[in-house]
Amino acid sequence: MHNIRQIPLFAKLDDASIDKLREISSVHSYNVKEILFYEGDAPIYMYILLSGTLRLYKTNFKGAQIFLHTFRPINLVAELANFESMPYPASAEFSTKGEVMRIDYKKLEENFFKNPDISISIIKSLAAKLKIMSEVITNEVVLTSEGKIAKFLFENEKLFNELKQTQIAALLNITPETLSRTLGKFKKQKIIDSNAANEINIINKDLLSELFS
Amino acid sequence: MHNIRQIPLFAKLDDASIDKLREISSVHSYNVKEILFYEGDAPIYMYILLSGTLRLYKTNFKGAQIFLHTFRPINLVAELANFESMPYPASAEFSTKGEVMRIDYKKLEENFFKNPDISISIIKSLAAKLKIMSEVITNEVVLTSEGKIAKFLFENEKLFNELKQTQIAALLNITPETLSRTLGKFKKQKIIDSNAANEINIINKDLLSELFS
DNA sequence: CGCGCACTTGAACCCCTTCAACGGGCGTGG
DNA sequence: CCACGCCCGTTGAAGGGGTTCAAGTGCGCG
């Protein structure tokens, strides 16, 4: 069983509060590909991701998924929908097995929001999400495909060779073809090269970083 | 002179706190088109917009401005940068004359963040901004031009006839040509029509709303 | 009357996707 | 051990949505 005090948000609660919290919350397990909530659903619970990874995405007019972010534990998920009493702005799907703590939001608000430790945690969580959103906007609106690829490569050189190109393309919301062609271009420009095992190496980090920014 | 208690964030402060706040803050005036901060600047102050309207935008690789939002008073501006100690994620330009209160952030944090009234205000402000960002993502990433125009028209029918098409296009981050062509298409489909004064009227609101999600 | 500005319209172009075909590596089953 | 199938990456060609550029058009206002 999870110890509630391991959740930073609740770390400093006294015993009575923890008991109260147990009353209004429960823990649920999910399997790979199960959906925690869909974009447009009305929120009742506030979710805290306890284990596993959760993939957040929006769906566009033709049904394609636009990847936004993957959450790792321990993290509040989509608290915005709770605070603003609005439908979830995106869908969340488990990309591994995982668990969430599910809390009756109304009761949480009534009982715990006066607590300054909790409100500071919430501020931090909101600020972190705002930062994520700001990066999503940079990636999806400001940068071209070339810029997105350059940025991802620059920031995740090691990860790049651990993932398949199809997976990277999905993270960047581009097609594998575009990724392949762009990498070919980078090789021609001597920004990167690849060895026999087809692993990619950055040769000119400065040139690479000029492509986004 | 502005009464600090008119700022919701500080409405409930006691007199001593207000005095302290005056010490660490000052009010500054700006003219149309003056810049409050540029994307990438390091934040020192926290800004509260007291009067005027402030236009927030990002700049893409070819120098074009991507409009994000216009702020109206009274509102915290870009507090994210303060909380996360990161450069401003966007630029802010006055689109009218205006005033901001500028607060030394470090000192604000030291002296005022324990106050639960203030932290709840901040949570609300952050949540509101997160909602704005979420809408920006929907507009810019999920919707096509047609969808953006349909949505804007649906939600701002009156405003639509008060602004010039070039202004609307700028708000939607599309070219005036695309706007003109799309409106022409909507007229052909009998979704809208226009009178002698070239004012646009929605005929079929249902059809219009189907064009965005 | 003529100028300026907003809107319109057409054509070329650009970036990226889509569709299709191909090739290479690797595991599995015969 | 080879043959086959499959997955993944590559490459080409076409297409689509939007921008860019350029040339009208219409209208208000000095």
Side-chain angles (χ1 to χ4, degrees):
Chain A
M1 192 51 201
H2 287 274
N3 181 340
I4 291 187
R5 287 219 178 74
Q6 286 171 358
I7 302 171
L9 183 60
F10 304 125
K12 294 183 180 172
L13 289 184
D14 57 46
D15 290 348
S17 300
I18 297 271
D19 287 343
K20 177 70 189 166
L21 187 57
R22 278 195 210 283
E23 271 176 41
I24 65 170
S25 70
S26 52
V27 172
H28 297 256
S29 296
Y30 291 82
N31 279 316
V32 184
K33 300 210 174 174
E34 284 195 298
I35 301 290
L36 184 58
F37 52 77
Y38 281 109
E39 185 174 354
D41 285 356
I44 301 169
Y45 305 109
M46 170 140 148
Y47 293 109
I48 300 176
L49 180 63
L50 298 177
S51 68
T53 62
L54 194 57
R55 204 175 71 92
L56 203 75
Y57 64 89
K58 275 182 181 267
T59 305
N60 73 8
F61 66 107
K62 54 166 86 164
Q65 294 183 0
I66 297 161
F67 168 80
L68 299 179
H69 188 66
T70 71
F71 284 107
R72 294 175 202 291
I74 294 175
N75 221 317
L76 276 173
V77 178
E79 66 270 38
L80 167 64
N82 301 120
F83 295 154
E84 295 277 305
S85 306
M86 63 185 279
Y88 289 112
S91 306
E93 176 193 291
F94 279 92
S95 46
T96 66
K97 290 198 305 179
E99 292 166 301
V100 296
M101 180 170 178
R102 169 167 120 175
I103 309 171
D104 183 313
Y105 176 70
K106 275 262 157 77
K107 290 182 183 154
L108 180 74
E109 185 173 3
E110 285 163 17
N111 292 283
F112 292 95
F113 269 30
K114 302 146 211 155
N115 184 322
D117 287 327
I118 289 196
S119 45
I120 286 187
S121 278
I122 289 175
I123 288 176
K124 288 208 179 117
S125 172
L126 283 171
K129 285 198 178 52
L130 210 38
K131 191 177 175 188
I132 291 166
M133 294 291 251
S134 167
E135 274 168 21
V136 169
I137 291 178
T138 297
N139 287 336
E140 300 304 317
V141 181
V142 174
L143 297 179
T144 61
S145 285
E146 184 180 282
K148 291 204 270 187
I149 294 166
K151 184 170 178 233
F152 186 84
L153 192 45
F154 188 88
E155 293 173 353
N156 304 282
E157 185 170 6
K158 206 180 130 223
L159 182 60
F160 207 97
N161 288 314
E162 290 165 6
L163 296 178
K164 288 176 219 157
Q165 292 194 19
T166 48
Q167 294 176 300
I168 297 170
L171 292 180
L172 298 178
N173 296 316
I174 60 178
T175 60
E177 290 94 329
T178 299
L179 178 57
S180 171
R181 285 186 247 264
T182 305
L183 290 177
K185 203 168 97 187
F186 288 172
K187 283 174 197 167
K188 252 191 201 140
Q189 299 172 241
K190 310 278 186 206
I191 295 173
I192 61 174
D193 65 1
S194 59
N195 60 20
N198 217 22
E199 278 164 355
I200 284 180
N201 233 318
I202 301 177
I203 313 175
N204 193 332
K205 244 185 154 170
D206 289 344
L207 251 178
L208 187 64
S209 72
E210 276 171 26
L211 296 180
F212 58 101
S213 108
Chain B
M1 191 50 199
H2 287 274
N3 181 341
I4 292 188
R5 288 221 177 71
Q6 287 170 358
I7 302 171
L9 185 59
F10 302 127
K12 295 184 178 172
L13 289 184
D14 57 47
D15 289 349
S17 300
I18 297 271
D19 286 344
K20 177 69 189 167
L21 187 59
R22 278 196 210 284
E23 271 175 41
I24 64 171
S25 71
S26 52
V27 172
H28 297 257
S29 296
Y30 293 81
N31 279 316
V32 184
K33 297 209 177 178
E34 283 195 301
I35 300 289
L36 183 59
F37 52 78
Y38 281 108
E39 185 174 354
D41 285 356
I44 301 169
Y45 304 109
M46 170 140 150
Y47 293 110
I48 299 176
L49 180 63
L50 298 176
S51 68
T53 62
L54 194 58
R55 204 174 72 91
L56 202 75
Y57 64 89
K58 275 181 180 271
T59 305
N60 72 9
F61 66 107
K62 53 166 85 165
Q65 294 183 0
I66 296 162
F67 167 80
L68 297 180
H69 189 67
T70 71
F71 283 107
R72 296 175 200 293
I74 294 174
N75 221 316
L76 276 173
V77 177
E79 66 270 36
L80 166 64
N82 301 119
F83 295 153
E84 295 278 305
S85 306
M86 63 185 280
Y88 289 113
S91 305
E93 177 194 290
F94 279 92
S95 46
T96 66
K97 291 199 304 182
E99 291 166 302
V100 296
M101 179 169 179
R102 168 168 120 175
I103 309 171
D104 184 313
Y105 176 71
K106 276 261 158 76
K107 291 182 182 154
L108 180 74
E109 186 173 2
E110 286 163 17
N111 292 283
F112 291 95
F113 268 30
K114 301 148 214 157
N115 183 321
D117 288 327
I118 290 196
S119 44
I120 285 186
S121 279
I122 288 176
I123 288 176
K124 290 214 177 108
S125 172
L126 283 171
K129 284 195 180 51
L130 209 40
K131 192 176 174 185
I132 291 166
M133 295 291 251
S134 166
E135 273 167 21
V136 169
I137 292 178
T138 298
N139 287 337
E140 300 304 316
V141 181
V142 175
L143 296 180
T144 60
S145 286
E146 184 181 284
K148 291 204 270 187
I149 295 166
K151 184 171 177 230
F152 186 85
L153 191 47
F154 188 89
E155 292 172 353
N156 304 281
E157 185 168 6
K158 207 178 131 221
L159 181 61
F160 206 97
N161 288 314
E162 290 163 7
L163 296 177
K164 288 176 218 158
Q165 293 194 17
T166 48
Q167 294 175 301
I168 296 169
L171 292 180
L172 298 179
N173 297 316
I174 60 178
T175 59
E177 292 93 329
T178 299
L179 178 56
S180 171
R181 284 187 248 264
T182 306
L183 290 177
K185 203 167 97 186
F186 287 174
K187 283 174 197 166
K188 253 191 201 141
Q189 302 172 241
K190 309 281 186 205
I191 295 173
I192 61 173
D193 65 2
S194 60
N195 61 21
N198 217 24
E199 279 164 355
I200 283 179
N201 233 317
I202 302 176
I203 314 175
N204 193 333
K205 243 183 156 175
D206 289 343
L207 251 179
L208 187 65
S209 71
E210 277 171 26
L211 296 179
F212 57 101
S213 137

